């Protein structure tokens, strides 16, 4: 049975959600599932904006058949060729013999890499600023490479002011009937997943996101339709401000997150004492994470949120504790920058984890590392407690800077 919702009088959401998938890209936990959005424009010509993942192809096809109500499908616009958005292309080509696939040069090359389909005479290649007339609706195409694949483009429908934004402005999480941002408590229920989605999926490509936002700035956008997560039809400035901060690697909040690895609880104890001291000095909304039991994507999202980071690592095999090392590698890969970092290391006979972590942090852009680095030898003693107090003072001073 079909399950659709009207976006406008002539545009219909024909996507769906997968609540069974455990890992997005086989990496990122999905406790709330994920939505795959697709949109069908009904005009003199019909146009479908992207397809969906194979997991919901049956639902997707039922939605399209119902919405078309016997009409043919004229165009399929492929804004993004990642498999979770293009898995149903061949199904549509088989059902609609006159269907034309619309994409740029890189899109069409990727189709050939993923699928063995005969597309002779069935494609329409578009370039920057090209248009496609559907009748009352006109589509404008804007190339936005590396947000977050090289072929990505966004499509703007000028009559209704709708931006079909590919993977930009998306979020983890299945849609639960309410598909519009103004039907949801976004800050409570969606912001953490939207931040985790951006920071881990798109985060590396901040300069490219900035370039795309500048390119689209002159458009009269009244609605943003991403390929994952809620559709934005109000308060667009809120969403754009988040993307502007995230893509410039500016922290959302002047806040501290403390992330540790701990073999037997002694490093964790030092982190708890530091957090208690900060709280006693008036710092609010602190967060503490055990890197061994918290997925790295959550840690990355918190680092994108917070201005200050405390990293605490035991020395392990003469190096950085593995879960903290994994986090540092992800920070490097995702281009994390412009943060203030405090370091704490533990080592019973040759503490080195903090020093090695510092070297990795110094290789990242605009990372300010506070002194002193606290060194614990096995358990916290009076001498290291004094260092911990000094580090607390350095954090408080940095937090209070203008």
């Amino acid at each position: 049975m079909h399950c659709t919702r009207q976006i406008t009088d002539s545009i219909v959401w024909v996507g769906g959600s997968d609540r069974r998938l455990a890992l997005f890209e086989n990496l990122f936990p999905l406790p709330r599932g994920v939505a795959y959005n697709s949109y069908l424009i009904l005009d003199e010509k019909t146009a479908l904006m992207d397809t969906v993942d194979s997991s919901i192809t049956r639902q997707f096809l039922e939605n399209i058949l119902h919405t078309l109500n016997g009409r043919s499908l004229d165009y399929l616009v492929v804004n993004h060729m990642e498999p979770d958005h293009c898995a149903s292309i061949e199904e549509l080509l088989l059902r609609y013999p006159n269907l034309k696939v619309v994409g740029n040069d890189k899109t069409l090359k990727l189709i050939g890499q993923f699928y063995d389909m005969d597309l002779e005479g069935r494609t329409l290649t578009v370039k920057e600023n090209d248009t496609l007339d559907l009748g009352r609706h006109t589509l404008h195409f804007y190339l936005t490479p590396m947000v977050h694949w090289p072929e990505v483009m966004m499509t703007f429908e000028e009559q209704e002011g709708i931006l079909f934004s590919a993977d930009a402005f998306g979020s983890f999480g299945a849609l639960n009937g309410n598909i519009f941002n103004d039907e949801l408590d976004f800050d409570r229920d969606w912001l953490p997943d939207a931040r985790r989605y951006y920071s881990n999926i798109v985060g590396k490509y901040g300069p490219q996101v900035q370039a795309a936002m500048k390119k689209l700035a002159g458009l009269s956008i009244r609605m943003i339709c991403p390929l994952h997560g809620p559709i934005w039809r109000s308060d667009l400035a809120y969403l754009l401000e988040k993307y502007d901060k995230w893509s410039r690697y500016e922290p959302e909040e002047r806040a501290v997150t403390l992330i540790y690895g701990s073999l037997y609880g002694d490093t964790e104890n030092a982190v708890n004492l530091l957090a208690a001291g900060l709280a006693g000095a008036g710092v609010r909304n602190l967060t503490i994470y055990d890197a061994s039991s918290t997925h790295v994507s959550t840690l990355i999202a918190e680092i994108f949120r917070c201005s200050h980071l405390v990293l605490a690592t035991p020395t392990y095999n003469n190096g950085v504790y593995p879960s903290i090392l994994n986090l540092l590698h992800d920070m490097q890969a995702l281009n994390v920058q412009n943060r203030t970092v405090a370091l704490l290391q533990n080592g019973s006979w040759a503490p080195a984890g903090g020093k090695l972590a510092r070297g990795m942090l110094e290789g990242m852009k605009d990372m300010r590392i506070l002194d002193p680095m606290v060194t614990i030898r096995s358990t916290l003693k009076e001498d290291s407690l004094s260092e911990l107090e000094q580090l607390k003072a350095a954090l408080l001073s940095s937090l209070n800077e203008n």
Side-chain angles (χ1 to χ4, degrees):
M1 174 62 72
H2 67 272
C3 180
T4 63
R5 281 201 65 185
Q6 292 291 140
I7 303 297
T8 67
D9 288 344
S10 53
I11 301 178
V12 182
W13 176 80
V14 293
S17 291
D18 184 354
R19 296 179 182 86
R20 297 183 180 185
L21 185 66
L23 296 173
F24 188 81
E25 296 183 351
N26 209 24
L27 283 174
F28 306 107
L30 291 174
R32 301 193 308 137
V34 66
Y36 302 108
N37 297 331
S38 177
Y39 310 91
L40 184 52
I41 303 173
L42 302 173
D43 204 328
E44 293 173 22
K45 296 287 188 179
T46 58
L48 181 67
M49 313 305 293
D50 295 284
T51 76
V52 297
D53 187 78
S54 58
S55 63
I56 64 163
T57 292
R58 177 182 173 183
Q59 178 72 69
F60 173 63
L61 293 173
E62 290 177 359
N63 291 345
I64 290 171
L65 287 167
H66 167 77
T67 303
L68 286 172
N69 193 26
R71 295 187 62 183
S72 64
L73 182 60
D74 297 303
Y75 297 107
L76 167 62
V77 177
V78 181
N79 289 301
H80 185 21
M81 256 304 293
E82 201 165 1
D84 56 334
H85 305 298
C86 68
S88 304
I89 293 176
E90 190 167 21
E91 292 281 355
L92 292 170
L93 288 167
L94 290 170
R95 282 169 170 76
Y96 299 100
N98 296 319
L99 175 64
K100 286 205 168 182
V101 178
V102 181
N104 57 66
D105 278 331
K106 291 180 179 178
T107 307
L108 300 178
K109 287 176 183 175
L110 280 174
I111 290 177
Q113 290 176 210
F114 276 106
Y115 304 110
D116 294 317
M117 295 185 283
D118 182 8
L119 293 177
E120 184 68 32
R122 303 196 66 180
T123 62
L124 176 61
T125 305
V126 294
K127 304 183 297 299
E128 182 78 22
N129 293 318
D130 278 358
T131 61
L132 179 60
D133 185 7
L134 303 178
R136 292 185 303 110
H137 297 81
T138 302
L139 304 180
H140 296 252
F141 302 103
Y142 297 93
L143 304 186
T144 53
M146 299 317 301
V147 185
H148 59 126
W149 276 31
E151 89 299 351
V152 172
M153 66 183 187
M154 299 186 193
T155 302
F156 179 66
E157 196 292 299
E158 69 173 30
Q159 190 217 23
E160 306 200 62
I162 297 178
L163 179 68
F164 298 96
S165 62
D167 266 351
F169 308 113
S171 175
F172 296 132
L175 293 168
N176 301 317
N178 299 129
I179 67 172
F180 296 102
N181 70 297
D182 53 17
E183 299 176 330
L184 308 162
D185 188 332
F186 188 83
D187 275 1
R188 185 191 68 190
D189 297 331
W190 285 88
L191 180 56
D193 265 338
R195 183 189 299 114
R196 188 165 67 95
Y197 177 87
Y198 175 86
S199 57
N200 289 276
I201 305 299
V202 189
K204 180 179 180 68
Y205 303 107
Q208 289 85 355
V209 173
Q210 282 286 307
M213 291 178 72
K214 288 181 174 67
K215 180 180 288 190
L216 302 168
L219 302 178
S220 298
I221 300 171
R222 297 193 292 277
M223 189 183 300
I224 296 176
C225 290
L227 289 176
H228 297 291
I231 297 161
W232 286 77
R233 65 181 181 186
S234 65
D235 203 11
L236 300 190
Y238 169 96
L239 180 63
L240 294 171
E241 188 268 340
K242 292 292 185 189
Y243 257 66
D244 185 46
K245 275 188 178 294
W246 293 338
S247 59
R248 286 189 285 115
Y249 304 97
E250 285 193 6
E252 269 179 85
E253 301 176 28
R254 205 155 187 81
V256 184
T257 187
L258 301 93
I259 302 172
Y260 70 88
S262 190
L263 282 80
Y264 303 109
D266 297 303
T267 308
E268 178 185 9
N269 175 244
V271 168
N272 285 334
L273 281 170
L274 177 57
L278 291 170
V283 179
R284 303 183 64 179
N285 298 321
L286 294 157
T287 56
I288 300 179
Y289 295 94
D290 180 347
S292 296
S293 60
T294 307
H295 194 269
V296 68
S297 65
T298 297
L299 305 180
I300 289 292
E302 275 294 272
I303 292 168
F304 266 74
R305 181 180 70 86
C306 295
S307 58
H308 289 66
L309 165 66
V310 176
L311 280 180
T313 177
T315 300
Y316 198 83
N317 289 332
N318 297 320
V320 181
Y321 192 64
S323 58
I324 298 295
L325 183 62
N326 184 44
L327 172 61
L328 287 163
H329 281 149
D330 263 28
M331 289 171 65
Q332 289 177 325
L334 293 167
N335 204 21
V336 170
Q337 55 191 265
N338 192 30
R339 294 299 186 271
T340 299
V341 187
L343 289 169
L344 186 154
Q345 66 177 354
N346 194 348
S348 293
W349 57 89
K355 180 180 178 181
L356 293 169
R358 182 176 190 133
M360 295 178 72
L361 290 163
E362 287 173 344
M364 303 179 202
K365 186 177 179 183
D366 295 331
M367 300 295 272
R368 177 188 177 191
I369 303 172
L370 297 177
D371 289 320
M373 178 174 66
V374 177
T375 298
I376 301 169
R377 291 185 177 271
S378 303
T379 62
L380 197 61
K381 304 292 185 183
E382 285 300 320
D383 56 347
S384 46
L385 184 60
S386 173
E387 286 185 354
L388 198 67
E389 284 293 320
Q390 293 175 51
L391 186 59
K392 181 190 80 173
L395 278 163
L396 291 170
S397 175
S398 177
L399 284 165
N400 291 324
E401 289 174 357
N402 292 328

